[in-house]
Amino acid sequence: MSLAITIELGDADLQHFISAMQRAQQEAKNLSAREITDAAAKLLVDGHKVALPQFIADRLGKLDSMIAMTRDEGFSLPEEDRQRVLACLTYFANPQDIIPDAVPVLGFLDDAIMIELCVRELQHEIEAYEDFIAYRSDEASRRGVDVATLKTERVEWAEGRRVGLVDRMR
């Protein structure tokens, strides 16, 4: 038997998370992009070590996409967008988050909420990256090669999208 719980965050609640994000960004200002993404990736590893509610596990998958898009050389995220993603990831690089991760069941709740807020902020970038990943996977299958060896570039993906849209208009 499952139980559905809806949480509505008001303006004051959201401000609490925004303030936590701003503090994390201030504390992480001297960290490199690699240090930020490594710390966020550690959250994923830690999350796999414990039994998480499905709604939290689902959001951790989006965190994985945000980390991957900053590291994916083929996607080559424009620097301005990359900085926005890294700014969102700084919360997960801060060991002093709102709810300590060691708290059973609820320890990752603040992370899930923050991920949800980041996903809203980066919705278009995340959707584009997931589309790029699907395109690269389809191209690898079409060519009969391993996706890890396929060197697909963002420009190639964009051109494929353009051709697909033109075909659909016809």
Side-chain angles (χ1 to χ4, degrees), residues 14-162:
L14 290 173
Q15 188 56 50
H16 185 71
F17 280 92
I18 291 167
S19 295
M21 177 64 83
Q22 290 170 340
R23 279 191 309 276
Q25 288 169 344
Q26 185 62 29
E27 291 172 15
K29 68 182 176 188
N30 295 323
L31 296 179
S32 69
R34 187 63 177 196
E35 290 170 318
I36 292 169
T37 57
D38 284 351
K42 183 183 179 310
L43 179 69
L44 293 174
V45 171
D46 293 347
H48 290 321
K49 291 178 183 175
V50 296
L52 294 173
Q54 190 60 47
F55 70 94
I56 293 176
D58 291 344
R59 273 132 190 103
L60 288 179
K62 293 293 184 184
L63 179 62
D64 194 24
S65 290
M66 288 186 274
I67 295 166
M69 83 169 72
T70 65
R71 294 179 173 176
D72 192 324
E73 292 178 17
F75 189 60
S76 61
L77 194 61
E79 189 57 29
E80 181 180 332
D81 293 338
R82 186 171 185 271
Q83 290 305 317
R84 288 181 55 233
V85 174
L86 288 169
C88 285
L89 292 176
T90 57
Y91 179 79
F92 311 104
N94 188 341
Q96 298 178 354
D97 54 5
I98 296 171
I99 303 173
D101 295 340
V103 174
V105 183
L106 297 178
F108 290 88
L109 180 60
D110 63 313
D111 300 305
I113 292 169
M114 193 63 80
I115 291 168
E116 189 65 30
L117 295 173
C118 292
V119 166
R120 287 182 182 193
E121 173 77 19
L122 303 169
Q123 177 181 354
H124 300 293
E125 290 87 349
I126 292 169
E127 287 174 359
Y129 183 65
E130 290 173 349
D131 187 49
F132 174 78
I133 294 300
Y135 174 82
R136 184 165 50 196
S137 179
D138 290 346
E139 279 298 299
S141 293
R142 189 179 67 74
R143 296 178 189 184
V145 298
D146 183 5
V147 71
T149 63
L150 185 64
K151 300 294 182 205
T152 305
E153 299 293 325
R154 187 180 179 105
V155 173
E156 183 182 339
W157 162 70
E159 178 59 18
R161 292 273 303 177
R162 187 191 69 75

